[in-house]
Amino acid sequence: MEQMSKDETIALRQKYIGKSCQLFFKQDPIKIVKAKGQYMYDEKGNVYLDCINNVAHVGHCHPKVVEAGCEQMKLLSTNNRFLHDNIVLCAKRLVETMPEKLNTCFFVNSGSEANDLALRLAQIHTGNNDVITLKGAYHGHLTSLIDISHYKFSLPGGTGQKSHVHLASSPDIYRGKYNTKNHKKEEICRLYTEEVRSICERVRDEKGVGICAYIAESLISCGGQVIPPENYLKEVYNHVRAYGGVCIADEVQVGFGRVGTHWWAFQLQDVVPDIVTIGKPMGNGHPVAAVVTTEEIAESFRKTGVEYFNTYGGNPVSCAIANAVMDVIVEENLMQNALEVGEYLLDRCVELMNRYSAIGDVRGRGLFIGIEFVTDRESRTPDPETASFINKRMKENLILLSVDGPDNNVIKMKPPMVFSKQNVDEVVCALDEVFQEMEQTNSSRGSKIVEIEDKTK
């Protein structure tokens, strides 16, 4: 088929695709025609360094993953209600990466489906309905998940907060409700977790019921690349369980070794969730996802007598691809790569922070990094304009980043796991050039983008 021009593609999109379906860089969208590893190619042959596609977990179009899907598709692609080896082998491999208690799998097609099923499991197991979630959180696009995603329901035109949804502050120690500017570091965790305990108590006192579930990403992505303080999840989980609830770890964006030291980000906090949800990185972008839970919770579900099936969740092709992804993570030592390259990226970004006062904070684990922009470091006032400008200029320099957080002032990086130290140098050098350019033009942002005086001179 002859390739259309970019203008023709845009025209057809405007005619046939819903206007609420957003694009990256909507003022000047990129038309991508192929990708490989950590690189994406547009229709003109420009090569973009991809720093944001966490879904292409082991690299775009990884040969082993592509081959596994193609070979299985030649043999069989059918309903998962037929017996097949791929789904049971995939479940076995997932369980082997988890704590012993988490030993039962349900397969679905996306992270949204996984989180929806997790809520259903929690409701059935506890008999409760009230859910605790975080301010700024996003858990998926299904109606049940929009209801618990402050990132969505709080927007103008959003559905608003439902009576069964309770919001706890995001455990952001830099610019959150309790932060290192206004509180001692050792107090911050207790203050955030006490909010969760208070919600549990209020639900019991006002409604006479227990909690259904606490759900949170193990590292908070859309909420601004937030790394919870040490012991946060451990204390929260204790509070929630004391009031009858179960604890759901959303690993859709941060799982499968992205943190470098563990398969799953919840393991950073030495906790064992009751339910873990996994999304499309599991299939390197192919629609396969899963819920992993305990035998006890799965048995509560079975006792309802309502049969569960998902026609293509865990079908032979999807599971062949997921198995290949796990093969690649191990064979190419991608967890170690995430650890080493992630530490290098964090260090290089800290170097930038030491030079430019517009950067208020740099944080992350493995290949999950956030750079937060502020108008000045004393007030920590968010600076979304600078974040947006830098994101735009980096795109013009063929490097793809994204901006997020409650105030849209955090540049986040979640690249494919094959990201290299050379890629880090490309990104940091380009960022440095953009900062220098902003200084030299003495733009309206120039007063904020000042290079910090070198005290060693």
Side-chain angles (χ1 to χ4, degrees):
M1 184 178 72
E2 185 177 350
Q3 184 174 293
M4 293 186 292
S5 70
K6 181 176 176 179
D7 287 343
E8 289 172 325
T9 304
I10 290 173
L12 283 180
R13 184 180 179 91
Q14 290 174 340
K15 184 174 182 180
Y16 295 114
I17 304 297
K19 299 297 187 293
S20 57
C21 298
Q22 294 185 354
L23 292 165
F24 285 126
F25 311 104
K26 56 186 176 183
Q27 298 301 323
D28 182 24
I30 305 169
K31 181 176 179 180
I32 296 297
V33 296
K34 67 175 183 177
K36 183 177 182 180
Q38 61 272 56
Y39 298 100
M40 304 182 80
Y41 302 79
D42 71 11
E43 81 286 3
K44 296 179 180 178
N46 293 314
V47 183
Y48 291 87
L49 177 60
D50 182 2
C51 304
I52 55 176
N53 257 303
N54 64 294
V55 174
H57 192 68
V58 298
H60 292 279
C61 302
H62 192 287
K64 181 163 187 172
V65 176
V66 172
E67 182 182 10
C70 290
E71 290 303 311
Q72 181 57 53
M73 199 175 295
K74 291 176 185 177
L75 293 172
L76 176 69
S77 178
T78 190
N79 194 306
N80 72 4
R81 298 176 80 181
F82 291 101
L83 190 64
H84 197 274
D85 290 348
N86 288 357
I87 188 171
V88 294
L89 292 173
C90 189
K92 178 176 182 291
R93 296 185 69 171
L94 281 176
V95 165
E96 287 173 349
T97 68
M98 298 275 177
E100 185 176 356
K101 177 182 172 183
L102 296 163
N103 55 20
T104 305
C105 296
F106 295 86
F107 286 88
V108 292
N109 295 297
S110 69
S112 290
E113 278 195 341
N115 281 329
D116 179 76
L117 177 58
L119 290 178
R120 184 178 171 192
L121 290 170
Q123 289 166 352
I124 290 169
H125 182 69
T126 66
N128 300 322
N129 194 49
D130 288 77
V131 175
I132 302 173
T133 185
L134 297 179
K135 292 178 181 177
Y138 174 69
H139 293 289
H141 62 80
L142 301 182
T143 299
S144 64
L145 304 174
I146 294 297
D147 284 350
I148 66 165
S149 295
H150 180 252
Y151 182 83
K152 289 291 187 181
F153 73 65
S154 63
L155 293 172
T159 57
Q161 186 175 343
K162 300 292 194 296
S163 62
H164 72 284
V165 176
H166 307 274
L167 295 176
S169 297
S170 176
D172 177 0
I173 69 170
Y174 176 67
R175 214 172 48 78
K177 183 176 180 180
Y178 309 111
N179 58 66
T180 52
K181 179 184 175 186
N182 299 319
H183 300 85
K184 293 180 180 178
K185 199 167 186 178
E186 57 270 21
E187 295 178 341
I188 292 176
C189 180
R190 180 185 60 80
L191 291 168
Y192 278 121
T193 58
E194 178 60 21
E195 271 198 14
V196 175
R197 191 203 65 77
S198 295
I199 291 170
C200 294
E201 185 175 63
R202 188 173 71 249
V203 169
R204 182 199 63 189
D205 292 347
E206 294 179 0
K207 297 187 175 185
V209 297
I211 294 297
C212 170
Y214 167 88
I215 182 170
E217 292 181 285
S218 305
L219 303 177
I220 299 150
S221 52
C222 290
Q225 301 294 91
V226 173
I227 312 299
E230 187 177 358
N231 291 322
Y232 171 78
L233 285 181
K234 184 172 289 188
E235 293 184 28
V236 164
Y237 283 15
N238 286 338
H239 291 322
V240 171
R241 286 167 175 159
Y243 286 82
V246 298
C247 302
I248 303 171
D250 181 336
E251 293 274 336
V252 170
Q253 297 197 47
V254 295
F256 283 102
R258 178 162 293 279
V259 296
T261 52
H262 301 81
W263 270 93
W264 309 105
F266 68 77
Q267 293 170 311
L268 296 171
Q269 297 244 335
D270 191 28
V271 293
V272 180
D274 301 295
I275 304 173
V276 178
T277 58
I278 303 164
K280 287 184 285 291
M282 175 178 175
N284 216 42
H286 186 84
V288 59
V291 175
V292 185
T293 189
T294 66
E295 282 186 45
E296 183 184 11
I297 291 174
E299 180 63 10
S300 294
F301 194 25
R302 184 195 68 79
K303 285 180 178 178
T304 65
V306 179
E307 180 183 288
Y308 177 79
F309 65 90
N310 185 313
T311 305
Y312 285 105
N315 70 79
V317 174
S318 295
C319 286
I321 289 171
N323 287 331
V325 168
M326 287 185 274
D327 283 341
V328 171
I329 292 171
V330 174
E331 292 167 2
E332 298 186 9
N333 207 15
L334 293 184
M335 285 176 59
Q336 185 65 27
N337 187 69
L339 177 63
E340 294 177 3
V341 176
E343 287 179 348
Y344 183 63
L345 174 57
L346 196 64
D347 289 344
R348 292 298 315 273
C349 289
V350 169
E351 289 175 12
L352 284 178
M353 182 173 68
N354 291 337
R355 291 186 60 195
Y356 299 106
S357 64
I359 300 177
D361 191 38
V362 171
R363 52 184 177 262
R365 290 295 296 263
L367 288 174
F368 180 90
I369 303 292
I371 305 174
E372 181 150 1
F373 291 87
V374 294
T375 56
D376 70 88
R377 289 181 177 174
E378 182 59 31
S379 68
R380 302 187 182 181
T381 302
D383 188 357
E385 290 183 5
T386 292
S388 177
F389 179 82
I390 289 175
N391 189 48
K392 175 177 177 291
R393 286 291 296 115
M394 290 291 282
K395 176 247 189 182
E396 292 168 357
N397 289 333
L398 305 184
I399 295 175
L400 303 181
L401 304 172
S402 64
V403 177
D404 223 323
D407 296 294
N408 293 307
N409 69 315
V410 179
I411 282 182
K412 59 183 188 179
M413 287 181 271
K414 296 176 296 180
M417 294 275 279
V418 292
F419 212 67
S420 69
K421 289 184 178 180
Q422 181 181 345
N423 297 145
V424 171
D425 290 337
E426 291 177 57
V427 172
V428 174
C429 288
L431 283 169
D432 195 20
E433 288 175 6
V434 173
F435 278 121
Q436 292 181 40
E437 168 196 321
M438 294 172 75
E439 290 178 342
Q440 291 164 1
T441 58
N442 195 27
S443 67
S444 60
R445 302 175 185 84
S447 60
K448 293 178 278 187
I449 310 298
V450 293
E451 187 165 354
I452 298 171
E453 181 182 354
D454 186 349
K455 301 297 184 182
T456 63
K457 289 183 180 178

